[in-house]
Amino acid sequence: MRKFGLIGYPLGHSFSKKFFTEKFSKEQIKGCSYENFPLKNIIQITGLLRDNDLEGLNVTIPYKSSVIKFLDRIDPEAEKVGAVNVIKIKRTNGKTVLTGFNSDITGIMATLSSVLSPEIKNALVLGTGGSSKAVCHVLTKINVHCTLISRERKSGCLTYSDINSEIMENNRLIINTTPLGMYPDTGSKPDLNYDLLGSSHILFDLVYNPEITSFLKMGKERGCTILSGIKMLHSQAERSWEIWNSSKF
């Protein structure tokens, strides 16, 4: 049995197991399973890797950056981002080699491609974790300047209290990379002044459970274009499957 799975903590919000289980059934992919592995500490990955049937892992909050120290190799783009959400596991002659990739990059680009235009030159990126790094990497590649927003004052970031009407006017794309609004805490949302939003704004939430978060609801009520994390989830999951099964990776 070929085994795949997801590591992170907690994992009650995750759709990955459902996605891959349905994929295996729908596409008649035999001899494969996908499980959730909630790890309270990233060091527990070492025990998980003793299972010789395990061929690949997805990585979610809060381990996208801390997992890197356990890898033998890292894809150059993932290394540049500083975050990994796909691990390919190869076993040869008793040696296990872990290679890290970032499929969030694929998912973010796939989601944004339908709404980006030359008028979008600046973006606010809410959060500073692993997903935020992938978002900023994509935005930089397509020549959109990103400003990081953090709850705490730190170098290179603005705080939510710094965001005024001028900043909102100059940043028509706003991307939430935090877990705020994720199931089961569906009532939470980033601490923005939502009354400064208008029909020219685009709100993208990487959270996909629920599909329409409180953050997106507030934007929709004010005429914003909204993008849920569902398309990103599907795109990055398919990229993961490609990485695990292609000899070119």
Side-chain angles (χ1 to χ4, degrees):
M1 174 70 74
R2 302 178 68 202
K3 293 182 181 179
F4 304 90
L6 173 71
I7 62 171
Y9 194 83
L11 294 180
H13 66 280
S14 175
F15 280 178
S16 294
K17 182 177 178 178
K18 179 175 184 287
F19 177 91
F20 279 104
T21 301
E22 290 179 353
K23 177 181 175 66
F24 297 156
S25 175
K26 182 180 177 182
E27 299 179 18
Q28 298 185 329
I29 299 170
K30 306 296 184 183
C32 293
S33 68
Y34 190 102
E35 300 295 333
N36 285 340
F37 301 110
L39 307 183
K40 289 187 177 180
N41 190 306
I42 188 58
I43 193 68
Q44 291 176 285
I45 192 175
T46 56
L48 198 60
L49 293 168
R50 295 191 188 107
D51 186 342
N52 290 328
D53 292 330
L54 191 63
E55 295 188 22
L57 289 169
N58 287 123
V59 185
T60 190
I61 295 168
Y63 300 134
K64 290 185 179 184
S65 295
S66 60
V67 77
I68 291 174
K69 62 179 174 285
F70 294 92
L71 304 177
D72 301 288
R73 301 171 182 164
I74 185 168
D75 175 75
E77 198 163 34
E79 185 172 28
K80 190 172 183 179
V81 170
V84 161
N85 73 322
V86 184
I87 299 173
K88 183 167 186 170
I89 304 168
K90 284 187 178 180
R91 292 181 172 85
T92 309
N93 299 323
K95 184 179 180 182
T96 301
V97 176
L98 308 181
T99 306
F101 301 86
N102 193 306
S103 69
D104 281 343
I105 295 167
T106 304
I108 293 161
M109 185 65 83
T111 304
L112 288 176
S113 60
S114 63
V115 298
L116 288 176
S117 67
E119 289 74 38
I120 305 296
K121 294 181 171 59
N122 302 295
L124 298 181
V125 179
L126 313 181
T128 58
S131 296
S132 171
K133 294 172 183 175
V135 166
C136 290
H137 177 75
V138 171
L139 293 176
T140 300
K141 283 178 70 173
I142 57 177
N143 297 314
V144 174
H145 177 266
C146 53
T147 300
L148 290 170
I149 309 299
S150 173
R151 286 178 298 179
E152 301 173 0
R153 192 163 298 282
K154 58 177 76 171
S155 177
C157 298
L158 297 180
T159 65
Y160 287 95
S161 61
D162 292 326
I163 302 173
N164 54 30
S165 58
E166 182 181 359
I167 290 172
M168 289 289 266
E169 177 69 24
N170 291 334
N171 290 268
R172 298 308 177 104
L173 175 61
I174 305 174
I175 304 177
N176 177 42
T177 73
T178 78
L180 290 169
M182 186 191 306
Y183 177 85
D185 190 18
T186 56
S188 64
K189 59 185 180 295
D191 188 21
L192 293 172
N193 183 350
Y194 290 89
D195 289 332
L196 296 177
L197 296 172
S199 58
S200 61
H201 284 98
I202 300 167
L203 269 55
F204 175 21
D205 201 331
L206 270 60
V207 171
Y208 52 80
N209 183 11
E211 184 170 352
I212 304 300
T213 60
S214 293
F215 171 69
L216 294 181
K217 284 178 185 175
M218 295 293 280
K220 187 175 182 180
E221 289 170 2
R222 289 155 179 80
C224 303
T225 298
I226 62 170
L227 302 168
S228 83
I230 289 292
K231 183 171 183 177
M232 176 178 166
L233 168 69
H234 290 177
S235 295
Q236 68 91 359
E238 291 294 353
R239 179 67 167 175
S240 298
W241 186 243
E242 180 186 4
I243 289 168
W244 293 330
N245 288 278
S246 174
S247 59
K248 69 181 182 181
F249 294 104

